[in-house]
Amino acid sequence: MALFDLRGALTEGPGVLSAWLGLTDPVVQEAFLRAGFDAVTFDMQHGLQDTASLRDGIALAVHLGRPALVRLPVEDRALAARALDFGASAVIMPMIETVEDARAFVAVAKYPPLGQRSYGPTRAAELHGYTDRADYVGDARNQTMAFAMIETGRALASLEEIMAINGLDGVFVGPSDLSIALSGNGTLDPRGDANEAAIRQVAASAVAHGKIAGIYAATPDDAKRYRALGYRLICVGSDSGVIIAGARDLADASRG
């Protein structure tokens, strides 16, 4: 057993479709892990996850044969390394705006010589079946991935420089925050013209730099549209959104 080949899945075939998990209940997590998604992403920024639920959720994902990604809280570089030590396959850092932001993120997410990730993968090595932790370290250099979120005008202005950073595997677009930032007046419009142009710009830049483009999709139609634009990692919907919508639909249909 070894780390999942997330990089291979992202660069070959149709890409990776991930569930988005903000709830901590393991039964809910298991339902999404068994639903046919290629991966799951735990949301530590806006979700209800804490360190303990993240640890257990990553273990559940690995045991059920799915790579776990983690969207971190803003600027929480310490948790980036811990999430990987828990056995995550990738970490996503929100609100990266500058080259300096991105380099600091890579430093904690990548082992030398790409970064300065501190050694301590006890749980990750055990979870992924490594008897020799040195083998985990060797595999992790290539197989654990770091994505910088692009969701502000300042990030777009620095996009080419961010994309060029060695050790950064890709970028991840947050369409809602990006639309608010680009609107000039705080308006949420993730499908607006300015946002769509920026989303296309990020995808094209990723291809040009040999990086992976990822994005959050609110709906299945959004997911299909983004895939057509060249996005290789697509996180769609959310566990809470699915449950809330399903409960409402069930109540409405039962009254009809």
Side-chain angles (χ1 to χ4, degrees):
M1 190 174 177
L3 279 162
F4 297 106
D5 185 13
L6 180 60
R7 186 181 301 278
L10 286 166
T11 55
E12 302 169 3
V16 170
L17 181 67
S18 175
W20 191 264
L21 304 180
L23 301 177
T24 62
D25 190 297
V27 176
V28 172
Q29 294 172 356
E30 183 177 342
F32 281 85
L33 283 161
R34 294 187 185 279
F37 291 97
D38 304 309
V40 293
T41 300
F42 294 96
D43 182 14
M44 293 287 288
Q45 183 185 10
H46 295 301
L48 301 180
Q49 303 289 342
D50 57 21
T51 304
S53 69
L54 179 65
R55 175 200 64 201
D56 294 344
I58 290 172
L60 180 61
V62 173
H63 289 317
L64 291 178
R66 294 290 184 268
L69 296 78
V70 180
R71 200 263 291 269
L72 302 158
V74 177
E75 294 186 353
D76 197 340
R77 288 184 288 276
L79 185 58
R82 289 198 78 190
L84 295 170
D85 284 345
F86 289 167
S89 291
V91 284
I92 304 168
M93 180 65 80
M95 291 293 173
I96 295 290
E97 293 195 290
T98 66
V99 170
E100 291 74 21
D101 291 341
R103 284 179 177 155
F105 172 43
V106 169
V108 297
K110 293 291 183 174
Y111 285 123
L114 292 174
Q116 299 173 328
R117 178 181 167 189
S118 179
Y119 176 79
T122 303
R123 179 56 176 154
E126 180 69 20
L127 192 59
H128 288 282
Y130 289 89
T131 55
D132 187 339
R133 293 178 195 171
D135 292 336
Y136 168 84
V137 173
D139 286 353
R141 286 194 183 95
N142 184 60
Q143 290 299 340
T144 60
M145 304 183 75
F147 292 88
M149 286 198 74
I150 303 297
E151 45 192 345
T152 69
R154 193 177 180 195
L156 277 179
S158 302
L159 182 63
E160 297 306 311
E161 291 81 6
I162 290 172
M163 287 285 195
I165 293 173
N166 191 28
L168 186 69
D169 299 289
V171 294
F172 190 92
V173 176
S176 293
D177 276 316
L178 184 59
S179 74
I180 292 171
L182 296 181
S183 70
N185 59 7
T187 300
L188 175 65
D189 188 13
R191 297 179 187 86
D193 292 342
N195 218 43
E196 284 291 313
I199 288 168
R200 290 173 181 270
Q201 176 188 349
V202 172
S205 180
V207 170
H209 287 272
K211 305 287 190 182
I212 301 296
I215 194 167
Y216 175 83
T219 69
D221 286 341
D222 288 338
K224 293 172 185 176
R225 188 172 79 257
Y226 296 148
R227 185 179 295 111
L229 293 177
Y231 282 86
R232 305 292 299 169
L233 168 62
I234 299 174
C235 300
V236 62
S238 69
D239 50 0
S240 58
V242 169
I243 292 169
I244 291 168
R248 288 175 176 167
D249 289 346
L250 178 61
D252 290 345
S254 298
R255 288 193 181 98

